Amino acid sequence: MKFKVPRGTQDILPSESWKWQKAEQLIRETCEVYRYSEIRTPMFEQTELFQRAVGDTTDIVSKEMYTFKDRGDRSMTLRPEGTAPVVRSFVEHKMFGWVDQPVKLYYIEPMFRYERQQAGRYRQFVQFGTEAIGSADPAIDAEVIALALEVYKRAGLKDIKLVLNSLGDKESRIAHRDALVAHFTPHIDEFCSDCQNRLEKNPLRILDCKVDREHPLMKTAPSLTDYLNDESRAYFEALKELLTIAGISYELDPNLVRGLDYYNHTAFEIMSTAQGFGAITTLCGGGRYDGLSEEIGGPPAPGIGFGMSIERLLLALEAEQVPLANDDALDVYVVTLGEAAKKEGFHVLQKLRSAGIRADMDYLDRKMKAQMKSADRLQSKWVTVIGEEEVEQQIVQLKNMAEGTQQSVTVTELIELIKG
Ligand code: ATP
Ligand code: MG
C-alpha cells in the first residue's frame, strides 16, 4: 500500500520551507511596525459559528467546510477562515473592555476548505490575516489596507493593484437588494441552481458567482454604488481621501462583493497583474464587518480585516521572478581527517554552535575531497580543517572560501574571527 499526501494539501520540503519562514518573518515585522499583535485560536470551532458568521448561502458554508461530529456528538468544523474565530474570541474574552482600542490582531494559521484543487487553490492553506475591532473610523480601514500592501511591497512585488468598493450600510444594502431581485427575477432560470437559491436568500451573492460570471445580466446589474445613502457615501469618500494621502492608488469595481456575508462599507481585494500568474489573480481580500460581533452574541463592535494566503504570495513572487532574500548559508564547515581529528572536530563544532555560529560536519566518514565538496554545496563561508597535527597542537586550519586564504588559529581565535 502506498500513501500519498491528501488531495489539495502539500508537504513543504526544506527547499521551500525557508521561503515560508521568510514570508512569515516579513509579515510579523510589518505587523509589529503597524502595532498589530498575534492571536492564535483553535484549528476547529463549533460549526454554528461559521454558519452564523460567514453565512449559509456562501460557498464556504454551503460546500467547502470540513465538518465532523466529535465523540460527544457535537458538530465541529475545521476553521475555513479567520475572522469568525477572532471575533468569537474578542467577544468571549471581552476585549471590548480592554483599555487599548481598537483591538488590533493578526494571525498566520492554516485554513481548511474542501475545494477543487487548482493552482493557487488548496484544501489546506495558510492565511495571514489581520482584524482591527472596535473602531468605525475610515482611517483604520486605510491603515489595514496599507498594511496588506506593505507586506507585498516588502516581499518585493511590483505588479499588484488594489481594487476597492463600498457595500454601504444596511439601509443602502436593502435598497440595492430590492433592485437586484427585480433585475434577476425575470431571467433567473438561466442561472445556476446556486444563484436561484441566492435570489431569495442573498441576491448580492449572485454577483460573486463563478459559474454565471459571463451572463449578460451580470454586467447590467444595478450597481451598489448607485444605492449608497449619504452616510455610506461620506464614509467611502473619507476612505478614498485617506488612501490618497497615504500615496495609495486604487481601482474602483462596483461589482466587488467578496465571498462572505458579513461585510459592509469597505470591501477590497489586492490582485496580481503579473504576466503568467494564472486564472486566479486575487492575492488578498478584506472588508469591514460592523454587525458581526452582534451576530454571534456580542456587543456592537465594528471591525475591519483581510486575509491573504502565503501560497498565493509565493506564487506571485514566482510569477514576477522576485527571489526572496536567502542569507541562510552556512558559516563554517568542519572538515576532519582521521579518528582523533573527528572527535576534536565534533568538540569544535559544538563550541561554534554554542557561540551561535551556523556550523556542520560530515557524518558519513567521507574523504577530505568529498567533505570539501559538501562545504562548497552548502555555500559555507569558512572551512576548518583538522588533522592529527592540529589535534596535537590544539589548533585548526581556517580557510576563507571567498578569498581563498588560510591560517592556523586556536578555537578561541576561530570563534572571534568568525563572529568578527
Ligand atoms: P476565491 O474567490 O479565490 O475563492 P475567497 O473569496 O474564497 O477567494 P477569502 O475567503 O476572502 O477568499 O480568502 C482571502 C484570501 O485567502 C484569498 O484572497 C486568497 O489569498 C486566500 N485563499 C482563499 N482560498 C484559498 C485556497 N483554497 N487556497 C489558497 N489560498 C486561498
Ligand atoms: Mg473561495
PDB file of all heavy atoms in Angstrom, residues 113 115 120-122 125 127 210 258 282-285 307-309 312, ligand 1:
ATOM      1  N   ARG A 113     -10.544  24.241   3.440  1.00  0.00           N
ATOM      2  CA  ARG A 113     -11.746  24.362   2.605  1.00  0.00           C
ATOM      3  C   ARG A 113     -11.742  23.230   1.593  1.00  0.00           C
ATOM      4  O   ARG A 113     -10.745  23.001   0.923  1.00  0.00           O
ATOM      5  CB  ARG A 113     -11.766  25.706   1.850  1.00  0.00           C
ATOM      6  CG  ARG A 113     -11.840  26.902   2.777  1.00  0.00           C
ATOM      7  CD  ARG A 113     -11.960  28.187   1.988  1.00  0.00           C
ATOM      8  NE  ARG A 113     -11.752  29.340   2.850  1.00  0.00           N
ATOM      9  CZ  ARG A 113     -11.737  30.594   2.432  1.00  0.00           C
ATOM     10  NH1 ARG A 113     -11.926  30.857   1.138  1.00  0.00           N
ATOM     11  NH2 ARG A 113     -11.542  31.582   3.267  1.00  0.00           N
ATOM     12  N   GLU A 115     -12.190  22.330  -1.586  1.00  0.00           N
ATOM     13  CA  GLU A 115     -12.322  22.991  -2.885  1.00  0.00           C
ATOM     14  C   GLU A 115     -11.734  22.091  -3.959  1.00  0.00           C
ATOM     15  O   GLU A 115     -10.973  21.176  -3.673  1.00  0.00           O
ATOM     16  CB  GLU A 115     -11.521  24.293  -2.904  1.00  0.00           C
ATOM     17  CG  GLU A 115     -11.895  25.244  -1.791  1.00  0.00           C
ATOM     18  CD  GLU A 115     -11.639  26.678  -2.173  1.00  0.00           C
ATOM     19  OE1 GLU A 115     -12.277  27.143  -3.129  1.00  0.00           O
ATOM     20  OE2 GLU A 115     -10.817  27.340  -1.516  1.00  0.00           O
ATOM     21  N   GLY A 120      -2.949  27.649  -6.940  1.00  0.00           N
ATOM     22  CA  GLY A 120      -3.338  28.724  -6.022  1.00  0.00           C
ATOM     23  C   GLY A 120      -4.570  28.412  -5.194  1.00  0.00           C
ATOM     24  O   GLY A 120      -5.066  29.270  -4.476  1.00  0.00           O
ATOM     25  N   ARG A 121      -5.075  27.196  -5.315  1.00  0.00           N
ATOM     26  CA  ARG A 121      -6.254  26.821  -4.530  1.00  0.00           C
ATOM     27  C   ARG A 121      -6.010  25.469  -3.871  1.00  0.00           C
ATOM     28  O   ARG A 121      -5.886  24.459  -4.542  1.00  0.00           O
ATOM     29  CB  ARG A 121      -7.481  26.763  -5.433  1.00  0.00           C
ATOM     30  CG  ARG A 121      -8.768  27.049  -4.708  1.00  0.00           C
ATOM     31  CD  ARG A 121      -9.963  26.957  -5.604  1.00  0.00           C
ATOM     32  NE  ARG A 121     -10.218  28.153  -6.407  1.00  0.00           N
ATOM     33  CZ  ARG A 121     -10.580  29.324  -5.916  1.00  0.00           C
ATOM     34  NH1 ARG A 121     -10.714  29.491  -4.629  1.00  0.00           N
ATOM     35  NH2 ARG A 121     -10.810  30.339  -6.714  1.00  0.00           N
ATOM     36  N   TYR A 122      -5.921  25.475  -2.570  1.00  0.00           N
ATOM     37  CA  TYR A 122      -5.622  24.265  -1.815  1.00  0.00           C
ATOM     38  C   TYR A 122      -6.747  23.955  -0.842  1.00  0.00           C
ATOM     39  O   TYR A 122      -7.591  24.799  -0.565  1.00  0.00           O
ATOM     40  CB  TYR A 122      -4.315  24.444  -1.037  1.00  0.00           C
ATOM     41  CG  TYR A 122      -3.127  24.671  -1.932  1.00  0.00           C
ATOM     42  CD1 TYR A 122      -2.784  25.955  -2.352  1.00  0.00           C
ATOM     43  CD2 TYR A 122      -2.370  23.597  -2.372  1.00  0.00           C
ATOM     44  CE1 TYR A 122      -1.699  26.160  -3.187  1.00  0.00           C
ATOM     45  CE2 TYR A 122      -1.285  23.790  -3.207  1.00  0.00           C
ATOM     46  CZ  TYR A 122      -0.956  25.081  -3.618  1.00  0.00           C
ATOM     47  OH  TYR A 122       0.109  25.285  -4.446  1.00  0.00           O
ATOM     48  N   PHE A 125      -4.586  25.629   3.414  1.00  0.00           N
ATOM     49  CA  PHE A 125      -3.698  26.726   3.035  1.00  0.00           C
ATOM     50  C   PHE A 125      -3.481  27.608   4.251  1.00  0.00           C
ATOM     51  O   PHE A 125      -4.241  27.551   5.216  1.00  0.00           O
ATOM     52  CB  PHE A 125      -4.273  27.526   1.859  1.00  0.00           C
ATOM     53  CG  PHE A 125      -5.632  28.119   2.119  1.00  0.00           C
ATOM     54  CD1 PHE A 125      -5.768  29.449   2.483  1.00  0.00           C
ATOM     55  CD2 PHE A 125      -6.785  27.346   2.000  1.00  0.00           C
ATOM     56  CE1 PHE A 125      -7.024  30.009   2.720  1.00  0.00           C
ATOM     57  CE2 PHE A 125      -8.043  27.897   2.232  1.00  0.00           C
ATOM     58  CZ  PHE A 125      -8.154  29.233   2.594  1.00  0.00           C
ATOM     59  N   GLN A 127      -3.261  31.193   5.939  1.00  0.00           N
ATOM     60  CA  GLN A 127      -3.699  32.567   5.754  1.00  0.00           C
ATOM     61  C   GLN A 127      -3.051  33.482   6.782  1.00  0.00           C
ATOM     62  O   GLN A 127      -3.027  33.175   7.966  1.00  0.00           O
ATOM     63  CB  GLN A 127      -5.218  32.629   5.911  1.00  0.00           C
ATOM     64  CG  GLN A 127      -5.898  33.404   4.801  1.00  0.00           C
ATOM     65  CD  GLN A 127      -7.398  33.430   4.953  1.00  0.00           C
ATOM     66  OE1 GLN A 127      -7.912  33.550   6.055  1.00  0.00           O
ATOM     67  NE2 GLN A 127      -8.100  33.337   3.852  1.00  0.00           N
ATOM     68  N   LYS A 210     -19.185  32.152  -9.616  1.00  0.00           N
ATOM     69  CA  LYS A 210     -18.089  31.824 -10.527  1.00  0.00           C
ATOM     70  C   LYS A 210     -18.617  31.095 -11.768  1.00  0.00           C
ATOM     71  O   LYS A 210     -17.951  31.052 -12.795  1.00  0.00           O
ATOM     72  CB  LYS A 210     -17.058  30.981  -9.793  1.00  0.00           C
ATOM     73  CG  LYS A 210     -16.560  31.713  -8.560  1.00  0.00           C
ATOM     74  CD  LYS A 210     -15.160  31.376  -8.152  1.00  0.00           C
ATOM     75  CE  LYS A 210     -14.625  32.399  -7.163  1.00  0.00           C
ATOM     76  NZ  LYS A 210     -15.199  32.337  -5.815  1.00  0.00           N
ATOM     77  N   ARG A 258     -17.090  40.267  -2.577  1.00  0.00           N
ATOM     78  CA  ARG A 258     -16.415  39.388  -1.624  1.00  0.00           C
ATOM     79  C   ARG A 258     -17.283  38.196  -1.211  1.00  0.00           C
ATOM     80  O   ARG A 258     -18.496  38.245  -1.249  1.00  0.00           O
ATOM     81  CB  ARG A 258     -15.973  40.139  -0.370  1.00  0.00           C
ATOM     82  CG  ARG A 258     -15.248  41.425  -0.649  1.00  0.00           C
ATOM     83  CD  ARG A 258     -13.766  41.196  -0.915  1.00  0.00           C
ATOM     84  NE  ARG A 258     -13.231  40.226   0.003  1.00  0.00           N
ATOM     85  CZ  ARG A 258     -12.772  39.039  -0.379  1.00  0.00           C
ATOM     86  NH1 ARG A 258     -12.745  38.714  -1.636  1.00  0.00           N
ATOM     87  NH2 ARG A 258     -12.314  38.210   0.508  1.00  0.00           N
ATOM     88  N   THR A 282      -6.491  36.994  -7.410  1.00  0.00           N
ATOM     89  CA  THR A 282      -6.686  37.675  -6.135  1.00  0.00           C
ATOM     90  C   THR A 282      -5.700  37.151  -5.102  1.00  0.00           C
ATOM     91  O   THR A 282      -5.656  35.951  -4.822  1.00  0.00           O
ATOM     92  CB  THR A 282      -8.121  37.472  -5.623  1.00  0.00           C
ATOM     93  OG1 THR A 282      -9.021  37.932  -6.629  1.00  0.00           O
ATOM     94  CG2 THR A 282      -8.356  38.257  -4.350  1.00  0.00           C
ATOM     95  N   LEU A 283      -4.925  38.047  -4.554  1.00  0.00           N
ATOM     96  CA  LEU A 283      -3.943  37.656  -3.549  1.00  0.00           C
ATOM     97  C   LEU A 283      -4.489  37.849  -2.145  1.00  0.00           C
ATOM     98  O   LEU A 283      -4.103  37.154  -1.213  1.00  0.00           O
ATOM     99  CB  LEU A 283      -2.671  38.504  -3.687  1.00  0.00           C
ATOM    100  CG  LEU A 283      -1.952  38.468  -5.023  1.00  0.00           C
ATOM    101  CD1 LEU A 283      -0.731  39.378  -4.962  1.00  0.00           C
ATOM    102  CD2 LEU A 283      -1.543  37.040  -5.348  1.00  0.00           C
ATOM    103  N   CYS A 284      -5.386  38.830  -2.008  1.00  0.00           N
ATOM    104  CA  CYS A 284      -5.819  39.225  -0.672  1.00  0.00           C
ATOM    105  C   CYS A 284      -7.229  39.800  -0.756  1.00  0.00           C
ATOM    106  O   CYS A 284      -7.553  40.513  -1.710  1.00  0.00           O
ATOM    107  CB  CYS A 284      -4.861  40.295  -0.146  1.00  0.00           C
ATOM    108  SG  CYS A 284      -5.400  41.125   1.354  1.00  0.00           S
ATOM    109  N   GLY A 285      -8.064  39.459   0.213  1.00  0.00           N
ATOM    110  CA  GLY A 285      -9.403  40.028   0.233  1.00  0.00           C
ATOM    111  C   GLY A 285      -9.750  40.478   1.635  1.00  0.00           C
ATOM    112  O   GLY A 285      -9.366  39.840   2.616  1.00  0.00           O
ATOM    113  N   GLY A 307      -7.676  38.809   4.656  1.00  0.00           N
ATOM    114  CA  GLY A 307      -6.969  37.537   4.677  1.00  0.00           C
ATOM    115  C   GLY A 307      -6.186  37.386   3.385  1.00  0.00           C
ATOM    116  O   GLY A 307      -6.670  37.764   2.315  1.00  0.00           O
ATOM    117  N   MET A 308      -4.973  36.881   3.501  1.00  0.00           N
ATOM    118  CA  MET A 308      -4.193  36.580   2.294  1.00  0.00           C
ATOM    119  C   MET A 308      -3.472  35.263   2.533  1.00  0.00           C
ATOM    120  O   MET A 308      -3.051  34.978   3.642  1.00  0.00           O
ATOM    121  CB  MET A 308      -3.164  37.685   2.008  1.00  0.00           C
ATOM    122  CG  MET A 308      -2.065  37.832   3.053  1.00  0.00           C
ATOM    123  SD  MET A 308      -0.706  38.913   2.551  1.00  0.00           S
ATOM    124  CE  MET A 308      -1.414  40.537   2.660  1.00  0.00           C
ATOM    125  N   SER A 309      -3.380  34.436   1.482  1.00  0.00           N
ATOM    126  CA  SER A 309      -2.671  33.187   1.726  1.00  0.00           C
ATOM    127  C   SER A 309      -1.199  33.318   1.364  1.00  0.00           C
ATOM    128  O   SER A 309      -0.830  34.042   0.443  1.00  0.00           O
ATOM    129  CB  SER A 309      -3.319  32.020   0.992  1.00  0.00           C
ATOM    130  OG  SER A 309      -3.193  32.148  -0.398  1.00  0.00           O
ATOM    131  N   ARG A 312      -0.441  32.023  -2.221  1.00  0.00           N
ATOM    132  CA  ARG A 312      -0.580  32.945  -3.357  1.00  0.00           C
ATOM    133  C   ARG A 312       0.481  34.039  -3.336  1.00  0.00           C
ATOM    134  O   ARG A 312       0.892  34.522  -4.389  1.00  0.00           O
ATOM    135  CB  ARG A 312      -1.991  33.531  -3.398  1.00  0.00           C
ATOM    136  CG  ARG A 312      -2.992  32.476  -3.820  1.00  0.00           C
ATOM    137  CD  ARG A 312      -4.351  33.053  -4.166  1.00  0.00           C
ATOM    138  NE  ARG A 312      -5.345  31.981  -4.151  1.00  0.00           N
ATOM    139  CZ  ARG A 312      -6.652  32.182  -4.230  1.00  0.00           C
ATOM    140  NH1 ARG A 312      -7.120  33.415  -4.338  1.00  0.00           N
ATOM    141  NH2 ARG A 312      -7.484  31.153  -4.208  1.00  0.00           N
TER     142      ARG A 312
HETATM  143  P1  ATP B   1     -11.646  32.958  -4.083  1.00  0.00           P
HETATM  144  O1  ATP B   1     -12.551  33.872  -4.822  1.00  0.00           O
HETATM  145  O2  ATP B   1     -10.275  32.861  -4.691  1.00  0.00           O
HETATM  146  O3  ATP B   1     -12.256  31.627  -3.777  1.00  0.00           O
HETATM  147  P2  ATP B   1     -12.350  33.762  -1.464  1.00  0.00           P
HETATM  148  O4  ATP B   1     -13.324  34.838  -1.648  1.00  0.00           O
HETATM  149  O5  ATP B   1     -12.824  32.393  -1.124  1.00  0.00           O
HETATM  150  O6  ATP B   1     -11.367  33.676  -2.703  1.00  0.00           O
HETATM  151  P3  ATP B   1     -11.354  34.722   1.011  1.00  0.00           P
HETATM  152  O7  ATP B   1     -12.213  33.822   1.792  1.00  0.00           O
HETATM  153  O8  ATP B   1     -11.642  36.170   1.028  1.00  0.00           O
HETATM  154  O9  ATP B   1     -11.225  34.220  -0.464  1.00  0.00           O
HETATM  155  O10 ATP B   1      -9.840  34.491   1.431  1.00  0.00           O
HETATM  156  C1  ATP B   1      -8.890  35.513   1.387  1.00  0.00           C
HETATM  157  C2  ATP B   1      -7.623  35.056   0.701  1.00  0.00           C
HETATM  158  O11 ATP B   1      -7.273  33.742   1.099  1.00  0.00           O
HETATM  159  C3  ATP B   1      -7.720  34.934  -0.795  1.00  0.00           C
HETATM  160  O12 ATP B   1      -7.557  36.172  -1.395  1.00  0.00           O
HETATM  161  C4  ATP B   1      -6.547  34.032  -1.084  1.00  0.00           C
HETATM  162  O13 ATP B   1      -5.302  34.711  -0.955  1.00  0.00           O
HETATM  163  C5  ATP B   1      -6.631  33.081   0.035  1.00  0.00           C
HETATM  164  N1  ATP B   1      -7.340  31.844  -0.295  1.00  0.00           N
HETATM  165  C6  ATP B   1      -8.682  31.600  -0.260  1.00  0.00           C
HETATM  166  N2  ATP B   1      -8.945  30.332  -0.566  1.00  0.00           N
HETATM  167  C7  ATP B   1      -7.737  29.739  -0.815  1.00  0.00           C
HETATM  168  C8  ATP B   1      -7.343  28.424  -1.171  1.00  0.00           C
HETATM  169  N3  ATP B   1      -8.241  27.459  -1.320  1.00  0.00           N
HETATM  170  N4  ATP B   1      -6.022  28.159  -1.355  1.00  0.00           N
HETATM  171  C9  ATP B   1      -5.107  29.147  -1.175  1.00  0.00           C
HETATM  172  N5  ATP B   1      -5.419  30.386  -0.848  1.00  0.00           N
HETATM  173  C10 ATP B   1      -6.710  30.713  -0.649  1.00  0.00           C
END
